[in-house]
Amino acid sequence: MQKHIFIGLLTSSITFQVLAQHSPAQPFAGKAGKTLAETTPGNKPFNPAASKNAPNIVYILLDDVGFGASSTFGGLVETPTFDSLANNGIRYTNFHTTAICSPTRASLLTGRNHHSVNVNTVVDLAVDAPGHNGYMPFEKATIAEIARENGYNTFAVGKWHVTPTPDLTGAGPFNRWPTGRGFDKFYGFMAGETDQYTPMLWENTSKIEPDLQGKHLTTVLVDKAIEYIASQKSAAPEKPFLLYLTPGATHGPHQVDKQWIDKYKGRFDGGWDKYREEVLARQKKLGIVPANTTLPVRNTGVKAWDSLSAIEKKVFARFFEAYAGFLSHTDYEIGRLISFLKNINQLNNTLVVLIIGDNGASKEGGLTGHAYGINEYIDGSLFSEKYEDRIQEIAKLYDDIGSSKTGPNYPAGWAQAANTPFRYLKQDANSEGGTRNPLILFYPNGIKEKGIRTQYSHINSVTPTAIDIAHLTVPEVINGYKQEPLEGVSLAYTLTDAKAAGQHHIQYYEISGSRAIYKDGWKAEVYHQTGTSFANDKWELYNLNEDFNEQKNLAASEPDKLKELQALFEREAQKYNLYPLLGDTTARSFQKLTRGPFDVRRQAILYPGVTQLPTRSAPVLYQHSFSIAADVEIANDNTEGVLLAVGGRFTGFSFFVQQGKLKVAHNNNGKLVYFETTQSLPKGKATLRYDLNYVRAQNATDNAGTESIYVNDIKIAERAITKADATIIPYDEGLDVGKDNGSPVAPVYKSPFVFTGQLNKVTVTHNSLP
């Protein structure tokens, strides 16, 4: 009987599929009879079919690398895989990004300018205004949506960081997650960075547990990419795929297995000044830069290496050893992917687009570098130590720098060295140092004229280039949305003619008020100091045709050219929604950001099962008054575990029960402050509450109010807090309810430290907003 039921269901299912898939838009080509015996199949494909011999497409985008780091572009960090791809393909030495991650990714994926797709800066800080709100329009399709319409399978693996943060909850909507923007499968992280050993990971739209069993994240990402391709090629060997591979390397934290760090032991003891000199010589020899290029002065605050103390030299060299090991490890893992493609006979018919960095090298380590989280960069006032004291503190962690025990980023001196031969760094959209990155195209079946190309190009040109090389068709309508034109300029014309005249004539840049306009080799630019009036900005002018790395400011001698370019910038700004500029004296408060579900209500009720909710998508706990109330049942004296935690071992906050006591832990860049009750908790049902009453303060150690613990509305503990205690804005690990996933906020317990009593809900109430 069961067998007959199953066959009946199967028959019904087949009938439904035939009816559903053959719509008026795709007429049935066979004959539908009254019985299956009288029916002739239509023999038409239900889905778009790729053209014969269509190439696979692989986008590989690295993070925060810098122009002069990889050996492929003259750097001293060994990247043999990248070298091989470049030597058998094309190096582009005049290629540019937007100067920061989310805008670069949005521009790469869509082939448009970043303001044109509403991603003006990192998507976490999107502002509710046209060109700035973080919501990429469906009228501007991604390369994945286009490739899928052309019969491709599409996979995204690694960093995403272009979904609006309000949408990063279990309620979505999910139409701007990777699988909503054309990717069949996604495995990776949604934020701007993540820990390489305890990452926040999603597969498709589901949060998954972050335990990598000791593996490095880049290894896991490449494993997943290989798994996706192997599965697809086994099922449909003739069907092409698009892979968008975006590891976290080399964005901070610079973490990698010790063997990779030890590979560079002592090799950077000569310091950043010597590094820049050696790299410039190598770049000239490779033909990467003009022979007359000289080094610019050090960036503001960077000391001459020879003037440093012995302890500074030791610590700073170690930072770069960790960074170099991280980059070389990434090269090795990408090499595994390339070898796999070769082994399955796919490499020759694969277009590999390798972009070594989504912006210039990062300044986020400050002048000393840092060993833990990112709160220093968010709020420098949290650190009251003198420069020398900070060096001593970092020196105590020397042996752990680069390991899973630290979350380091190198000092600004090394950032400029990694950016050789340019001035300025990541976020400095006005400068070549912020925007010029290495690009490599590799395609054995399609590239015969190897070598170097110097034509000006931009990240918005990559997708038009891939479309041209792969002969993709961009439909007029995708998913019901009429498509708007691409804005980048394809580089396909350079494949067969190294000397071809450039075709990308005009390009604007803008990030947080620092801005520039390029036209046919001339560039007008202004560096904007965040927190100052735009009225104080001073424009500069450079002729890049003669001044490769912007050392001769011609603003005074060429006023007419400067005015011409300023007027052009204004036209581009109006065309692409660059205004309002951000970064002046107006505070970019939470109220001005694109609002999320927890930003628009005073109270949030959270249930057990919420895990690693990204910080900007969760209830805000940063520098304001709030309360956390846990509705629980204490079973016995052994009941313990986390009620609510945000962050992890480098920075965070935890509200938990241990040894019968209610406790709080503040972790600010590894500095722990504990607060707990002296009396044991009662058995049975209870409301356990934590209140933070914040008073605005200037400095990290200033009194900033109080924190209190209540049991059933009776206050049982209180203490004064500092501004550092109230600065709860961890980035890498997110918010958990009923456990502390990833790494523990407090070393007094081991993750996940699941609450063993009955936890019904946790209510977060905002008494004021930041």
Side-chain angles (χ1 to χ4, degrees), residues 674-752:
Y674 293 99
F675 173 43
E676 62 182 77
T677 62
T678 57
Q679 61 193 71
S680 298
L681 294 173
K683 310 301 181 295
K685 295 181 179 181
T687 299
L688 310 179
R689 195 174 97 223
Y690 168 84
D691 283 6
L692 189 148
N693 297 298
Y694 180 66
V695 178
R696 292 198 177 279
Q698 284 294 115
N699 301 308
T701 56
D702 288 353
N703 187 295
T706 61
E707 61 182 354
S708 308
I709 293 177
Y710 296 76
V711 176
N712 294 327
D713 294 326
I714 298 174
K715 184 189 295 186
I716 60 174
E718 182 176 277
R719 68 177 280 268
I721 61 170
T722 65
K723 180 182 180 182
D725 295 333
T727 303
I728 304 170
I729 188 168
Y731 191 73
D732 285 355
E733 294 198 34
L735 181 148
D736 298 301
V737 176
K739 59 184 173 181
D740 184 357
N741 233 338
S743 66
V745 170
V748 296
Y749 60 76
K750 183 178 179 180
S751 287

Side-chain angles (χ1 to χ4, degrees), residues 58-77:
V58 176
Y59 283 7
I60 303 172
L61 177 64
L62 302 192
D63 206 332
D64 287 6
V65 178
F67 190 84
S70 164
S71 56
T72 312
F73 275 66
L76 302 185
V77 181

Side-chain angles (χ1 to χ4, degrees), residues 302-319:
V302 176
K303 299 178 182 179
W305 184 266
D306 289 343
S307 72
L308 300 178
S309 67
I311 192 68
E312 285 175 298
K313 290 179 179 179
K314 178 181 178 181
V315 169
F316 291 169
R318 185 63 170 179
F319 274 123

Side-chain angles (χ1 to χ4, degrees), residues 8 19 76-78 86 118 138 141 170 220 245 280 335 364 412 426 584 593 595 602 610 645 656 683 728 757 762:
L19 292 173
L76 302 185
V77 181
E78 296 173 8
N118 295 324
F138 297 114
V220 173
L245 177 62
L280 179 60
E364 290 153 11
K426 174 183 178 180
D584 64 356
L593 300 180
R595 311 295 278 158
R602 182 172 172 266
V610 171
F656 61 100
K683 310 301 181 295
I728 304 170
V762 173

